[in-house]
Amino acid sequence: MEGKEFTPQEVIEKFENKISEATKGLVSSDEMTQLKSELSEIKGLAEKDNAEELKLKFVELESAVAGLKELNKETPAKKKSLIDLLKEKANQITDVVKSGKGKVEIALKAQQNPSDIGDRDDYATFLAGTIKKPVRATRIIDLFRRVSVSTEYVKYREQNAVTRDAKVVVACATSTSDTKTTWVNRTVQIQKIRDFVDICIDMIDDYSFVASEVEQLVNESVKLKEEAEILLGSGNILSIDGIASEFDPANVLAPFSNAFQSATLAELTAAMKAQIFTFGQENSWDADTIVMNYNDFVKFMHQKNSEGDYLLPNFVMAGDGILNGMKIVTSPLVTANTLYVFDSSKGEILDRQGATLEMSYENNDNFEHEIVTLKVVERLQFHVAQINQDAFMKCTDIATALTAITAP
């Protein structure tokens, strides 16, 4: 700056450029706005004759700003803002300006506003993962043990007819006996559950989450289908609904007609458990599971008598959803007003092939269109020996059954 005279406007412009360089990352947008406001107050007051002195004052202010930048590096917590420094020098600058005849013009530069970015939400922080739609848990298939098998057909042997004819005799008296048993071999065929989906290879390459989430999708689909078939059945997989006998309050072996005062699901499931226990000669079968609709469970838990007292006694319902010694499992697969009671130890899932994922381009015109097919296959069968199928019972109309077991 030595050896050259500056007009006030040149000094202001030079100072403005220097201030921009010196305060990068130091001054907030609010402070810069205040600074421009302070400079605007002295606009139009400078005179040409005082240009040199005005120039020197601005140079002095420029040095103060540089010092502020260094101070910020060393002790950022104690730094003065740019507007504070400007106010300290303001009186000196104003005195010089008032004594002159000329005019200082300050050109305020263009400002970038948030609206200049069209879609600002494109630059947002992206949270990890994908929020999934609700899907039911496969609680029912987890009730049964899995047995690995290595062939499509599985055979087992069970007793077909049994006669026990022991007799009481006196001393060495002659006796007869018709005790006898016969056996029968039965055959179980493994069935297949399959699902698949086509994906564009570009999607897998371009979006890291696609492959894993689609793989999870088809695996879930197969498991959900497996559980639906085991409970309700629609084809060649044995189902609980298909083998379960209907609860009959009037069954002569274990009658429960008009047996309870103010009967609830506690009494109904106890009666079903008792019938299963009786049918198994009070030895072979002991029901340990209730599968029901969740809304029916909630209604049952909050039933009250006319006095407002809860009907469910503590000695019947234990913690963790244990009713009459049976675990309560809820599922949206179970229709409201129905339930199942059974001995889960009498069922098993025969696994020929666990859920297996395969990928292939060799399907229709996949190769031509860069499409890959993801396929999940599972081979299994739900198995309950015919003799043990009476360990499964259902009630297809809870309301009617409650009326039947309630004393008039």
Side-chain angles (χ1 to χ4, degrees):
M1 295 175 61
E2 295 180 2
K4 181 179 178 180
E5 296 293 327
F6 288 82
T7 66
Q9 183 166 344
E10 288 174 334
V11 174
I12 292 295
E13 289 176 349
K14 183 172 182 60
F15 172 69
E16 188 175 22
N17 292 334
K18 288 289 185 180
I19 218 73
S20 295
E21 294 175 4
T23 60
K24 275 185 181 175
L26 173 65
V27 182
S28 68
S29 59
D30 289 341
E31 287 181 328
M32 188 57 76
T33 299
Q34 289 178 301
L35 169 63
K36 290 179 179 179
S37 175
E38 291 286 344
L39 291 176
S40 295
E41 289 180 6
I42 64 172
K43 181 180 179 181
L45 299 179
E47 251 199 337
K48 195 170 187 178
D49 293 339
N50 302 106
E52 183 62 23
E53 191 171 353
L54 183 63
K55 175 194 69 174
L56 293 175
K57 292 297 181 183
F58 272 106
V59 169
E60 185 180 338
L61 180 58
E62 177 184 325
S63 299
V65 172
L68 172 65
K69 188 172 182 180
E70 291 303 316
L71 182 62
N72 180 63
K73 292 180 181 177
E74 297 173 6
T75 55
K78 297 180 180 180
K79 69 182 178 69
K80 290 184 178 180
S81 68
L82 181 60
I83 193 65
D84 291 336
L85 288 176
L86 178 61
K87 285 179 178 178
E88 288 179 4
K89 302 291 182 180
N91 291 336
Q92 298 176 44
I93 296 172
T94 302
D95 290 342
V96 173
V97 171
K98 285 182 177 178
S99 65
K101 301 177 182 178
K103 183 181 292 188
V104 176
E105 294 182 0
I106 299 176
L108 298 179
K109 298 190 176 182
Q111 179 176 327
Q112 292 289 326
N113 296 310
S115 60
D116 293 331
I117 303 175
D119 294 319
R120 299 194 303 283
D121 60 350
D122 288 344
Y123 301 93
T125 301
F126 209 99
L127 300 178
T130 300
I131 309 301
K132 305 291 182 64
K133 285 184 174 292
V135 61
R136 62 180 165 85
T138 52
R139 301 186 185 97
I140 297 172
I141 58 177
D142 292 337
L143 298 170
F144 303 102
R145 65 182 178 274
R146 289 183 176 267
V147 178
S148 295
V149 297
S150 58
T151 55
E152 178 184 1
Y153 289 92
V154 176
K155 287 184 176 290
Y156 69 96
R157 181 179 60 254
E158 65 180 8
Q159 289 181 325
N160 186 37
V162 178
T163 300
R164 295 178 175 88
D165 191 32
K167 293 182 173 63
V168 176
V169 296
V170 177
C172 296
T174 301
S175 67
T176 61
S177 175
D178 292 323
T179 297
K180 184 180 180 180
T181 183
T182 59
W183 297 269
V184 61
N185 292 333
R186 304 199 187 278
T187 303
V188 176
Q189 184 180 10
I190 300 299
Q191 300 298 320
K192 182 184 294 184
I193 299 175
R194 176 201 300 129
D195 200 3
F196 58 87
V197 63
D198 291 336
I199 315 175
C200 176
I201 297 173
D202 292 342
M203 286 187 68
I204 297 177
D205 288 340
D206 294 343
Y207 305 99
S208 59
F209 67 91
V210 169
S212 61
E213 293 203 7
V214 171
E215 180 180 344
Q216 181 182 358
L217 176 67
V218 289
N219 269 299
E220 280 181 347
S221 176
V222 166
K223 284 298 179 184
L224 292 171
K225 181 62 174 175
E226 174 190 343
E227 180 168 89
E229 289 297 313
I230 287 176
L231 180 64
L232 302 175
S234 65
N236 297 318
I237 292 181
L238 189 71
S239 70
I240 294 172
D241 187 73
I243 64 174
S245 59
E246 180 71 31
F247 171 66
D248 179 8
N251 187 285
V252 294
L253 294 177
F256 285 96
S257 297
N258 306 323
F260 305 101
Q261 295 289 335
S262 304
T264 68
L265 285 181
E267 287 73 30
L268 175 59
T269 55
M272 295 173 72
K273 179 184 176 77
Q275 286 194 348
I276 291 173
F277 192 62
T278 301
F279 299 162
Q281 297 299 304
E282 300 183 18
N283 179 46
S284 296
W285 310 319
D286 189 8
D288 60 4
T289 305
I290 301 169
V291 177
M292 63 187 301
N293 181 277
Y294 180 74
N295 296 315
D296 285 341
F297 173 68
V298 172
K299 294 173 185 177
F300 157 64
M301 290 290 291
H302 295 275
Q303 279 183 291
K304 298 178 182 179
N305 60 22
S306 59
E307 303 298 322
D309 300 318
Y310 283 103
L311 294 176
L312 181 60
N314 293 332
F315 68 86
V316 174
M317 183 74 176
D320 298 324
I322 304 298
L323 179 63
N324 295 313
M326 296 179 286
K327 178 181 180 180
I328 298 175
V329 177
T330 63
S331 172
L333 290 173
V334 182
T335 305
N337 197 41
T338 66
L339 61 80
Y340 300 85
V341 171
F342 53 84
D343 183 344
S344 65
S345 70
K346 303 310 174 188
E348 60 190 7
I349 298 173
L350 303 180
D351 262 332
R352 172 64 183 89
Q353 175 186 325
T356 304
L357 174 70
E358 297 179 81
M359 300 176 66
S360 175
Y361 301 98
E362 301 171 1
N363 186 32
N364 289 337
D365 52 1
N366 278 13
F367 182 75
E368 179 182 345
H369 294 107
E370 296 84 42
I371 300 293
V372 63
T373 298
L374 268 69
K375 180 179 69 174
V376 173
V377 174
E378 185 175 25
R379 298 178 64 196
L380 58 88
Q381 181 60 272
F382 180 56
H383 175 235
V384 179
Q386 285 193 19
I387 285 178
N388 291 328
Q389 291 182 7
D390 282 339
F392 293 76
M393 186 174 291
K394 62 185 176 182
C395 177
T396 55
D397 191 337
I398 292 174
T400 298
L402 288 174
T403 299
I405 65 174
T406 301

